[in-house]
Amino acid sequence: MNPSTLPPFQAKGPIKPITCVEMHTAGEPTRIIWSGFPDLTGTLLEQRAQAKEKHDDFRKLLMLEPRGHYDMYGAILRFETELVATDEADIGVLFIHNEGFSTMCGHATIALGRFLVDVDESVFPHRHRLMYDSVSGTTCLNLHVPCGIVEVTVPTLPTGKSDPSRPVSFVSVPSFATAISLQVPLPERYQWPELQGRSSVTADFAYGGAYYCLISAEELGFSRGLGEAEVGKMDHATKLLKEAIVTRPELAFATKDVVTGEQGYLYSIMITDTSLGHVAAAEGTAGFKTRQGVDSEETGLCFFANQQIDRSPTGGCVAARVALAHAKGGLAVGEKRVYNSLFTRAYPALSGFVGSVSDSVKGRQWVRVQVGGYGYYTGYHCFVVEEEDGIGIDGFSVKDVSKQ
């Protein structure tokens, strides 16, 4: 539907119409905002800073209720960045969630790959830069994200449109482990019942475009693992664990770039479980859904931002987990591992992500990781705000109201 066909009240609101395409990757939503967001200038990081400082109300109205929900995720297209100007990237993007702005998002990258191949130059001005390879039946593009450049490969039909029957893949920014088997002290105020009196836990830390703390369900205190996930209690435990980590300056090294020394921040707690084994795929499904050529499997539950739950296996964290497994000596170059979420385990029609080391040099502290998954369209929206709508201009959260 063309936005011009909407009722006349759209023109009277304090915010002009915002057009979005809706997609999901392994169940996790991506709201792609391609017009109506306020103008931003400068480098991509400068644009991100402007959006955070001056236009956070747009993030809230797009992510929170009544237009979104607590676990909504979004991608704001940025057609001009410093790397687009030098032809190093084809387009830029800013990622948004319930708390703010991400530095990287793998599931959204997979969705964006399909979308950017499918649209024409009226939506994506630099669409003509993308090259179709008739031999592999793929189209490649470079996506400028806040943490660097991500190389995306999109299966493409002879018609020039994306092929939804084959997985989109991307090659991550440099990914690395920052701490292995690190003991995290837990003062009494940060302890949860399932610890049963323990005052510390052991966790790993790794980077895949954002910094992740990886901890097994058993180490977190849940002996039944993710097979019988107690999500509410795990929410409470991971929130306390995250607070315990970020409030201890001596643990800051776990979120520091091993190459540049730049200090980052802890984005997420990922609960892992390697004991659940193989997930049967729906008969007749294509590609890696049949687990062909896959060497191992792992399940995870990701709490990120303000305790937002990722429905997908979390693409950035797959890059981090692959880098961690490689650093531990448990995943060789080219060896593939399936990463599931609770939802890809529960629904045979959903496929987990496949991760593998695509680039590793002996003696180097980082690797690049290939991550693959399926993204699908779910709809189209043109959002408006009426002048009389007091809550609609910045949204609300039921969780936040219940805390008051």
Side-chain angles (χ1 to χ4, degrees):
M1 182 175 67
N2 190 302
S4 64
T5 64
L6 287 172
F9 66 73
Q10 65 169 308
K12 300 190 296 182
I15 294 174
K16 64 182 181 179
I18 303 171
T19 51
C20 310
V21 169
E22 309 288 323
M23 299 186 72
H24 85 85
T25 310
E28 178 71 1
T30 300
R31 176 163 287 169
I32 301 172
I33 300 102
W34 63 270
S35 73
F37 198 86
D39 292 336
L40 302 170
T41 59
T43 67
L44 185 64
L45 291 182
E46 288 171 345
Q47 292 181 43
R48 182 171 178 261
Q50 289 172 33
K52 290 172 67 174
E53 180 181 354
K54 299 179 180 180
H55 306 297
D56 200 46
D57 52 340
F58 281 81
R59 176 191 64 80
K60 292 177 181 177
L61 75 87
L62 288 166
M63 294 295 97
L64 303 180
E65 297 182 56
R67 297 170 188 83
H69 53 81
Y70 200 74
D71 296 310
M72 178 56 72
Y73 200 92
I76 305 168
L77 297 182
R78 305 310 308 149
F79 301 108
E80 301 298 334
T81 76
E82 73 276 21
L83 297 186
V84 173
T86 59
D87 293 337
E88 296 173 76
D90 299 301
I91 192 171
V93 63
L94 297 176
F95 299 120
I96 55 177
H97 48 63
N98 69 9
E99 185 180 47
F101 291 73
S102 306
T103 54
M104 172 59 193
C105 182
H107 90 269
T109 293
I110 290 169
L112 283 165
R114 284 199 64 199
F115 172 77
L116 293 170
V117 165
D118 288 341
V119 296
D120 60 26
E121 291 185 16
S122 67
V123 174
F124 176 16
H126 299 302
R127 173 64 178 80
H128 63 278
R129 294 183 182 179
L130 309 188
M131 299 299 294
Y132 170 66
D133 182 343
S134 59
V135 176
S136 63
T138 60
T139 301
C140 294
L141 62 99
N142 285 343
L143 187 65
H144 185 189
V145 303
C147 63
I149 291 181
V150 177
E151 300 169 9
V152 188
T153 300
V154 184
T156 309
L157 299 166
T159 60
K161 298 299 183 182
S162 65
D163 181 357
S165 70
R166 293 184 286 156
V168 175
S169 66
F170 67 87
V171 176
S172 72
V173 296
S175 302
F176 44 83
T178 57
I180 296 175
S181 298
L182 178 66
Q183 188 175 67
V184 179
L186 296 171
E188 186 175 354
R189 65 182 178 279
Y190 296 125
Q191 295 174 16
W192 52 93
E194 290 74 20
L195 287 173
Q196 296 184 340
R198 283 186 293 146
S199 59
S200 69
V201 292
T202 301
D204 298 319
F205 292 78
Y207 176 83
Y211 289 94
Y212 298 87
C213 169
L214 303 112
I215 184 169
S216 71
E218 185 176 2
E219 179 65 16
L220 199 64
F222 297 88
S223 59
R224 293 184 293 179
L226 292 176
E228 301 179 38
E230 300 178 83
V231 176
K233 294 179 179 180
M234 289 176 171
D235 180 2
H236 179 63
T238 54
K239 182 177 182 179
L240 290 174
L241 175 58
K242 189 175 183 180
E243 290 176 359
I245 294 167
V246 301
T247 54
R248 297 191 78 93
E250 67 271 25
L251 299 182
F253 72 92
T255 53
K256 180 178 286 189
D257 194 304
V258 300
V259 179
T260 67
E262 182 179 357
Q263 184 64 57
Y265 65 94
L266 183 59
Y267 178 58
S268 165
I269 305 289
M270 170 65 82
I271 306 173
T272 63
D273 190 334
T274 59
S275 67
L276 295 179
H278 177 75
V279 178
E283 187 174 348
T285 52
F288 60 68
K289 289 184 180 180
T290 60
R291 303 303 193 261
Q292 294 176 355
V294 171
D295 302 286
S296 55
E297 196 153 351
E298 184 177 303
T299 300
L301 173 60
C302 181
F303 291 90
F304 70 96
N306 189 10
Q307 293 304 106
Q308 190 164 337
I309 295 177
D310 197 335
R311 276 72 171 153
S312 83
T314 311
C317 195
V318 168
R321 290 155 82 183
V322 168
L324 175 67
H326 184 68
K328 288 182 171 183
L331 197 67
V333 175
E335 186 178 348
K336 296 180 180 180
R337 178 170 293 174
V338 171
Y339 292 88
N340 282 301
S341 67
L342 296 185
F343 306 94
T344 63
R345 286 193 62 84
Y347 297 96
L350 293 177
S351 177
F353 293 169
V354 169
S356 61
V357 175
S358 66
D359 176 22
S360 176
V361 175
K362 186 176 181 180
R364 193 175 64 187
Q365 292 180 285
W366 55 269
V367 298
R368 298 190 75 193
V369 178
Q370 184 177 65
V371 180
Y374 294 82
Y376 302 102
Y377 293 97
T378 59
Y380 171 90
H381 274 112
C382 181
F383 291 111
V384 296
V385 176
E386 293 189 272
E387 289 178 328
E388 298 82 2
D389 184 1
I391 191 64
I393 196 166
D394 60 1
F396 66 91
S397 163
V398 171
K399 284 191 176 183
D400 290 340
V401 171
S402 65
K403 294 174 184 177
Q404 295 178 3

